[in-house]
Amino acid sequence: MPELPEVETTVNQLKKKVLGRTFIDVWTDFPKTIKKPKTFEQFKKEIKGEKIQKLWRRGKNIIFDLSEQKVLLIHQKLTGHLLIGNWKLEIGNWKPLKTGPLQEKINTYIHLMFWLSGNLMLALSDLRKFAKVELWTKEGFKNLKGFKNLGPEPLTKDFTFGKFRGILKNKKGKIKQVLMNQEVIAGIGNIYSDEILWEAKVHPFKDVSKLKEDNLKKIYQALRKILKKAVKLGGESISDYRDIEGKKGGFDILRKVYRRRGEKCSRCGTIIKRIKLAGRSAHYCPRCQK
DNA sequence: AGTTGTGTTGAAGA
DNA sequence: ATCTTCAACACAAC
């Protein structure tokens, strides 16, 4: 599912395709994806004619800065991903015109389609229909709760070890949960929190207040290393994420613990375990991670 | 064939 | 305030 590296990949690729283009029209068979404005008809009316001036990522959010002081926000949630291509509508289903990755099943759950100037189509494929799309005015967007409260971006230069340590200093709770909290650090989800903690040799249930300086340093280093590497490789595609051409990301070969329950730890050979943590699963090596 | 696991976010409940 | 639980939804695997 799309976390920071996957969203970053999508945004980087999308920039090359859509900057400067104008929204011509939009289609949906699931209007609930559009959370703002209230009706799809209104959304359609407002987005038509809007030009894409800037495209950027914040946490797991994709943000389109548009003309006329408007902002389009897309959160892909669990199974959403954006695709560029050409399709035709056949009995309610969008069929890709060319053979290739867009024909893969996971890329065919298209519930939202944009037409852009220059004969370009932008689709949102979303198996479980959790993705959200919102059209805001710049003013409204600025005050968005849950966006304003996002923690710092972990890959920027100023996200130093000192800053990281400072952020975790007065936090309580289990380290995995804290890493996934978007208000603490933006962009880390279930997959990368598992991978980071394996790399750092820290148990996912370890209480943040009990972490020693050395543990913190290792977590910080692992976090930077793994996220950067994942961006470079175009994200992970163990299940549903695909890039804008419908292709898989290359991080899977480096995946050490996530969804590897029952397999041997690549570092020590111990069987990888999975435990429940606040309704989600944590994967870890019971020998390496203390 | 019915049940469970899948994970993000926000809302509801405690 | 702060915590946990659950709902949104579809499908694969058991």
Side-chain angles (χ1 to χ4, degrees), chain A residues 3-5 8 57-60 150-161 163-164 167 179 181-189 192 196 219-228 231:
Chain A
E3 299 179 28
L4 186 153
E8 180 83 9
R57 178 191 63 75
R58 177 77 172 95
K60 302 174 190 170
L150 281 176
E153 285 292 330
L155 290 188
T156 55
K157 243 195 192 144
D158 63 341
F159 189 78
T160 58
F161 174 61
K163 191 166 176 180
F164 175 73
I167 287 167
L179 285 180
N181 183 342
Q182 301 303 297
E183 294 184 12
V184 177
I185 301 167
I188 298 172
Y192 292 105
I196 289 164
I219 294 171
Y220 171 78
Q221 285 165 347
L223 185 155
R224 297 274 287 194
K225 178 178 154 190
I226 289 174
L227 292 181
K228 276 183 193 169
V231 169

Side-chain angles (χ1 to χ4, degrees), chain A residues 28-259:
Chain A
T28 189
D29 65 350
F30 191 73
K32 275 172 82 175
T33 300
I34 312 288
K35 310 291 181 193
K36 203 177 174 353
K38 284 196 180 100
T39 69
F40 180 69
E41 282 314 305
Q42 190 65 25
F43 176 78
K44 188 187 220 174
K45 207 166 118 188
E46 286 184 28
I47 201 154
K48 273 191 186 183
E50 290 287 336
K51 187 172 170 180
I52 302 168
Q53 294 177 328
K54 191 181 160 194
L55 191 60
W56 52 293
R57 178 191 63 75
R58 177 77 172 95
K60 302 174 190 170
N61 298 276
I62 302 172
I63 301 116
F64 296 71
D65 283 354
L66 304 175
S67 45
E68 299 170 45
Q69 302 294 306
K70 290 275 179 62
V71 178
L72 179 70
L73 182 145
I74 299 181
H75 194 302
Q76 308 177 105
K77 294 283 179 82
L78 276 82
T79 58
H81 55 281
L82 293 170
L83 298 165
I84 289 281
N86 286 107
W87 295 263
K88 66 174 176 185
L89 196 54
E90 260 179 25
I91 12 171
N93 292 310
W94 289 96
K95 291 268 180 301
L97 295 184
K98 286 188 197 150
T99 55
L102 291 180
Q103 290 177 316
E104 194 195 346
K105 185 116 191 249
I106 196 65
N107 293 323
T108 62
Y109 298 91
I110 296 173
H111 299 295
L112 185 65
M113 180 69 83
F114 295 103
W115 285 265
L116 298 174
S117 58
N119 193 29
L120 209 68
M121 295 169 85
L122 172 63
L124 175 65
S125 179
D126 186 16
L127 190 154
R128 287 172 69 182
K129 298 179 176 172
F130 287 173
K132 74 169 185 188
V133 174
E134 299 173 342
L135 185 57
W136 291 91
T137 61
K138 255 191 187 127
E139 266 316 294
F141 176 75
K142 256 195 284 182
N143 299 316
L144 246 185
K145 185 186 173 264
F147 192 86
K148 227 175 28 173
N149 299 342
L150 281 176
E153 285 292 330
L155 290 188
T156 55
K157 243 195 192 144
D158 63 341
F159 189 78
T160 58
F161 174 61
K163 191 166 176 180
F164 175 73
R165 184 175 44 194
I167 287 167
L168 292 203
K169 198 160 200 170
N170 37 24
K171 294 285 177 296
K172 45 187 177 177
K174 303 181 174 74
I175 181 62
K176 179 174 165 75
Q177 256 182 313
V178 172
L179 285 180
M180 289 196 298
N181 183 342
Q182 301 303 297
E183 294 184 12
V184 177
I185 301 167
I188 298 172
N190 213 27
I191 300 173
Y192 292 105
S193 57
D194 276 357
E195 295 300 319
I196 289 164
L197 291 173
W198 181 86
E199 177 77 21
K201 300 186 181 177
V202 173
H203 194 287
F205 277 27
K206 186 93 175 178
D207 200 287
V208 174
S209 60
K210 295 202 179 96
L211 288 172
K212 302 204 174 68
E213 178 83 358
D214 176 54
N215 292 139
L216 286 172
K217 188 118 211 178
K218 285 217 171 80
I219 294 171
Y220 171 78
Q221 285 165 347
L223 185 155
R224 297 274 287 194
K225 178 178 154 190
I226 289 174
L227 292 181
K228 276 183 193 169
K229 193 99 192 180
V231 169
K232 207 170 188 174
L233 293 172
E236 61 71 40
S237 289
I238 182 181
S239 59
D240 29 70
Y241 173 75
R242 296 296 183 272
D243 72 8
I244 68 165
E245 295 177 31
K247 292 181 186 157
K248 289 186 177 189
F251 185 76
D252 290 346
I253 45 165
L254 294 182
R255 185 170 47 86
K256 302 291 189 182
V257 279
Y258 179 76
R259 287 208 191 173

Side-chain angles (χ1 to χ4, degrees), chain A residues 12-31:
Chain A
N12 285 341
Q13 293 180 340
L14 221 45
K15 270 185 195 167
K16 296 176 196 154
K17 298 281 186 180
V18 306
L19 279 181
R21 293 185 196 261
T22 301
F23 285 99
I24 306 289
D25 205 353
V26 55
W27 167 97
T28 189
D29 65 350
F30 191 73

